[in-house]
Amino acid sequence: MRRRDYLKTAGVGVAGLLTAGCLQVEEGEQTSTTAETTTTAEGTTTGTTSESTEPLKIATYGSFFGDEGTAGRWLKDQWEADHDTEIEYTAPSNGINEFIQRKQQGAGIDADLFVGLNTPDLVRVDESLPDSDLFDDLRADLDNDDDVKESLEVDPENRVVAYDTGYITPVYDSTEIDNPETFDALLEPEYEGTLLAQNAQSSDPGLAFLLWTIHEKGADGYLDYWEELLANDVRVLDDWQPAYNAFLEGERPMVVSYSTDQVYYNSEEELPHHQVSFLNDQGYANPETVGRFAGTDQPETAADFVDFVLTDEAQANVAVNNVQIPATTTASLPEGYAEYAKEPPEPVTFTYEELAGNLDEWTESWAQLVASN
C-alpha cells in the first residue's frame, strides 16, 4: 500500500478536519470546479496560455487524487484556475512497473509525469532498464527546487525531485506497553508477541522498516537481528492496511506505521493508544518524488507543474492532504497539524547509491528468512 487509507480506517479525512476548523491551511482566492473522478480526473480550464492545450497526464496512485480532499484534487483545482492546460490523472494498477514493461517492449508512454516514486522504485527502474531512460533531466528545468531538504535528495542524476516525505516508525498503545525506545529493546521478553510489521516485498512501510534495520545493524547483521525478532514473535502481514487494522482491533499493541499517526488520533481518549516510538531517536525517511517521462511532448508544462507543486502554499496543502511532511525547508504547516505530525530527532534513510546493487539481495535474503520461520 503506497498511502495510508486513513479515511476508511479512522472514519474521518483531513478534509473533514479542515472543514471543522482544526487544521486550516491558507489558500489563494482562485478556485475551480473539479469533475467526478474514476481512474482519471478531468475538469474545466481557464487562465493563461500554456505550452499545449492537451491535458497534462499524470500517472500516480489512486489515493493521491481519487477522493475530495486529496492532494491531487487540490493541485488540479489550483493549477487549472491559472492555466489553460488541464490535469488528467491516471492510476495504473501495476504502478511504475507498467511503464517499465512498456519501455522494455518498445511501447509508447502515455503520460507526462509520474508522481509517487520512492528511492527503491528508482533503483528498480534503472536496474530493469539499464540501456534506456524512462525519465529525463527534470531538475535542469526547475526554478523552485533549491529549497528541497538536502536529506531528501534522491537521484544523483537529477531526474526526480521530492514533493513530500513520510517517516516510518512504530506506533504503540501506551496503555498496554512502554515505549521500546531502541531496536534492541524489541528483542526483550517484554515485547514478545507485540509487534506487527509488513512484507518488505509488497509493502512500502514494510520495506522501509527492513531498510531501517539494515541501516542500524548493517548488511552483515540485519538477518541475525530479524532472526531474533522472529524468535520474539514479530508478526509479518502482507501490507500496511491489514497490519494497522489488526492494531486497531487490539490484536497486538504495536505496529510499523507512520510518525503522522496522531493527525487522526489526537483526542484525549485516543492519544494514549497512538504513541509514536522513534527507535534510537530516529525515523526512516521515505520521500515521495515526481519524475518526467523522457519523450513527453509537454516538457515545459510538466516542469511548470512541478515548480507549482514546490511552492510553499502547495507544499503545505500536499502535506496536509497526503498526511505527510513537506519536502521543502520553507513551507509552513498549520499549527494544529504540525502539533501531531511528528518528525524524528534524527531522520535516516539509504541513498540511491547505497541501494543500487544491494536492494534485491537484501529483500530476497530477508524473504527467505521469514518464509523459513
Side-chain angles (χ1 to χ4, degrees), residues 89-260:
Y89 290 114
T90 61
S93 59
N94 204 22
I96 191 60
N97 291 328
E98 175 172 319
F99 299 102
I100 293 173
Q101 292 164 6
R102 291 182 68 83
K103 193 74 170 181
Q104 289 172 331
Q105 296 163 2
I109 303 295
D110 189 25
D112 303 296
L113 292 167
F114 191 95
V115 168
L117 283 168
N118 57 31
T119 313
D121 290 331
L122 189 62
V123 169
R124 287 176 174 140
V125 165
D126 290 345
E127 291 180 349
S128 300
L129 299 168
D131 300 319
S132 58
D133 295 323
L134 187 60
F135 301 107
D136 65 13
D137 188 0
L138 168 64
R139 297 193 67 170
D141 296 331
L142 297 182
D143 296 321
N144 293 340
D145 61 332
D146 289 344
D147 294 321
V148 173
K149 297 172 184 174
E150 185 176 349
S151 62
L152 304 183
E153 299 288 356
V154 167
D155 182 17
E157 297 183 19
N158 291 322
R159 295 163 296 175
V160 303
V161 62
Y163 61 87
D164 71 15
T165 190
Y167 295 102
I168 304 303
T169 62
V171 172
Y172 68 99
D173 184 344
S174 66
T175 69
E176 298 288 335
I177 59 174
D178 294 328
N179 183 357
E181 295 186 351
T182 68
F183 279 97
D184 289 343
L186 293 177
L187 308 178
E188 298 296 328
E190 177 183 356
Y191 295 99
E192 181 178 0
T194 62
L195 180 61
L196 292 156
Q198 301 89 15
N199 188 337
Q201 293 187 310
S202 59
S203 165
D204 281 354
L207 176 57
F209 185 66
L210 169 62
L211 293 176
W212 192 9
T213 64
I214 299 171
H215 190 278
E216 290 308 296
K217 300 299 180 179
D220 295 330
Y222 81 99
L223 290 176
D224 291 337
Y225 178 77
W226 271 92
E227 192 165 9
E228 292 187 72
L229 269 183
L230 291 164
N232 213 32
D233 195 23
V234 63
R235 183 181 176 194
V236 179
L237 299 181
D238 282 342
D239 211 339
W240 178 87
Q241 191 71 61
Y244 200 80
N245 286 344
F247 170 72
L248 290 178
E249 291 164 7
E251 294 182 23
R252 292 197 170 192
M254 183 162 46
V255 62
V256 172
S257 192
Y258 296 85
S259 68
T260 50

Side-chain angles (χ1 to χ4, degrees), residues 34 37-42 55-62 64-66 70-77 79-80 86-92 115 305 308-309:
T34 304
T37 302
T38 53
T39 57
T40 65
E42 302 180 13
L56 186 69
K57 297 181 180 179
I58 301 175
T60 184
Y61 48 93
F64 186 77
F65 69 93
T70 55
R73 287 291 191 98
W74 186 92
L75 290 170
K76 174 182 170 66
D77 287 351
W79 170 268
E80 291 181 354
E86 66 183 32
I87 301 299
E88 180 181 299
Y89 290 114
T90 61
V115 168
F305 179 79
F308 162 65
V309 173

